[in-house]
Amino acid sequence: MSGHGTPIPMISTPCGPLSGVAEVPGDKSISHRSLILGAMAVGETVVTGLLEGEDVLDTAKAMRAFGAEVIRDDDGTWHVHGVGVGGFAEPDQVIDCGNSGTGVRLIMGAAATSPISVTYTGDASLNKRPMARVTDPLALFGCQAVGRSGGRLPMTLVGAAEPVPVRYQVPVPSAQVKSAVLLAGLCAPGQTVVIEKEATRDHTERMLAGFGAEITTEETDEGRVITLTGQPELTPQVIAVPRDPSSAAFPVCAALITPGSDVLVPGIGLNPTRAGLFTTLQEMGADLTYENQREEGGEPVADLRAKYSPDMKGIDVPPARAASMIDEYPVLSVVAANATGVTNMTGVKELRVKESDRIEAMATGLRACGVTVEDGPDWWRVTGQGPGTVSGGATCASHLDHRIAMSFMVLGMSTRQPVRVDDGTPIATSFPIFEPLMAQLGADVRREA
Ligand code: S3P
C-alpha cells in the first residue's frame, strides 16, 4: 500500500476473540534517528529491526541524497556509511519526506548548519503542517528558510555557512523541534542548549550519547536543560531498534475491547517518555500486564499481555502525561468509547497539527458510529456506554493519517455493524504489516478494492 496513490477503502467487521502473538514492527522514532545519526557518523552503522515503513524509507532516500550510503541486506539488516558531522553534500533533487513530520523536521535540523541549500516537500498532509516551529530556531543558527505562506512546505532552507550555537526554549512540547535544534547544534561550534518545560521523547539525546557526543540533561526549575557540545566526531553504532509502543497500541487496544481476547505483544520499548498510554489503560481498569521486563540497547523493554477488559471505566487523563502518549489518543478514544463513563483528555492541542487534526478526525468518525464526543481547542471528551454498545456502520475519513485509519479499524472489531475507512493506504507509513498481523490474531480487517 502507498500513502501517495489511489485511495483504498478498508472495512473492519466485528470479530471473535483475538489471540496469539503480535510482533509489531520497529520503533518509527528510533528508526529515523538511526539513519540520520548513522549518516552523520564516520564509518558504518549497522541497524537491525528498522521500521521499513514509507516514512522511514523516505528518510533513507534523503540520507542517500546528502551523500551517505544506505544499504539494506537481504536479511533486513541496514548499513549506513556516514559522511561525518559537517559532511552533508548539497542534494541535486528535492527532498520528499512523504507523510513524515519527524523525517522532514529532523532532516531540516541536521542540514541547517551546513553551507548547502535544500528544498523540502511532502504529501498533501505534510504540506499543510506548520514548519515555523522548526525554521524559527534554525534561523538563530544562521539558517534562512523560504517557504509557502504560513511557513508550509515546499520550502527551501539555505544552511548557515558559519553557524553559531544557540540557547533555545522550546515553546511547544515537541520532540521534533527539540531534536531539530540538537541536530543543528552538531555542526555549530560551542554549546547548544535546548530547554523544554515538559519532557518529550528523549531518543535523540540517548542516541547522541550512544554515538559519542557530549550531551547532558539537567532537571531544573526552568525544565529540562539539554546541553550539547558541537562539532563532535560521531562514532558509528550497532543498533537494535526495539518494537514500537505506538504500533503496539493497536493490537493491545483491540484485545482490550474484543470479547475473549488474550494477546501477547513482545519486545516493546517502554521508554517512560513513550509509555503513557499503557499507564492510562491500566488506570481505566485494563487487564494489561508487563512480562519479562528487561533493558535492550539502553531502552527499557517488556512483553505486553492484553486481555479482554469489560470493566474499564472512563478517567481524566492528566495533561502532564500528554507528551508521553501524544500519538495514542486516537486509539485511546476507541477504548474510551467501549469503557463506562467519561474519558477527559486535556492539554492536547498538539493533536490538531499532526498528520491530520486528530481530534476532529476521531470525533467526526466516532459520532458517525454513535459515540458521544465533545471537543474544544485543547481538549476532548468521550462518553462510553460500556462494552459492545457502539453501533458502528459508518465510513470514516482517514485524512491521510495512518493512526486514524488504524484506530477506526480497531473500533470495528467490537461494534455492532462493520466500520469502514475511506482510505487505508496511509497505514503503510508506520505499520506496513497491520492487516496480516491483525488477521493472524483473528480480526477481520480487509481492503474493499
Ligand atoms: C516524534 C515526535 C512526536 C510524535 C511523532 C514522532 C519524534 O511529534 O507525534 O509521531 O519521533 O520525535 P512532536 O514532536 O511534533 O510532538
Side-chain angles (χ1 to χ4, degrees), residues 28-29 33 102 105 133 173-176 201 326-327 354:
K28 182 154 72 69
S29 295
R33 288 159 171 81
T102 308
R105 291 177 174 138
R133 55 177 53 201
S174 169
Q176 293 178 1
R201 64 192 69 193
I326 195 67
D327 290 334
K354 294 293 178 186

Side-chain angles (χ1 to χ4, degrees), residues 55 121 159 168 325 369 415:
D55 279 8
T121 193
Y168 188 68
M325 54 179 287
C369 290
T415 42

Side-chain angles (χ1 to χ4, degrees), residues 27-30 32-33 102 105-106 129 133 173-179 200-201 203-204 246 274 323 326-327 350 353-355 358 402-403:
D27 189 279
K28 182 154 72 69
S29 295
I30 296 176
H32 282 295
R33 288 159 171 81
T102 308
R105 291 177 174 138
L106 269 56
R129 297 180 67 185
R133 55 177 53 201
S174 169
Q176 293 178 1
V177 176
K178 169 178 68 177
S179 301
T200 63
R201 64 192 69 193
H203 306 301
T204 303
S246 300
R274 295 289 299 283
I326 195 67
D327 290 334
E350 279 297 299
V353 291
K354 294 293 178 186
E355 286 82 333
R358 286 182 168 162
H402 52 134
R403 302 201 197 281

Side-chain angles (χ1 to χ4, degrees), residues 10 223 264 267 272 337 369 394 409-410:
M10 287 180 68
L264 185 73
C369 290
M409 291 296 92
V410 170

Side-chain angles (χ1 to χ4, degrees), residues 101-174:
T102 308
V104 78
R105 291 177 174 138
L106 269 56
I107 295 168
M108 280 178 170
T113 41
S114 291
I116 55 176
S117 293
V118 187
T119 302
Y120 299 90
T121 193
D123 70 4
S125 156
L126 187 57
N127 287 0
K128 278 190 220 155
R129 297 180 67 185
M131 293 299 145
R133 55 177 53 201
V134 171
T135 55
D136 285 352
L138 296 182
L140 305 174
F141 287 97
C143 170
Q144 289 174 298
V146 184
R148 288 194 303 127
S149 52
R152 316 279 152 175
L153 300 178
M155 183 176 272
T156 298
L157 267 63
V158 181
E162 289 180 19
V164 291
V166 310
R167 181 180 178 88
Y168 188 68
Q169 172 143 3
V170 184
V172 284
S174 169

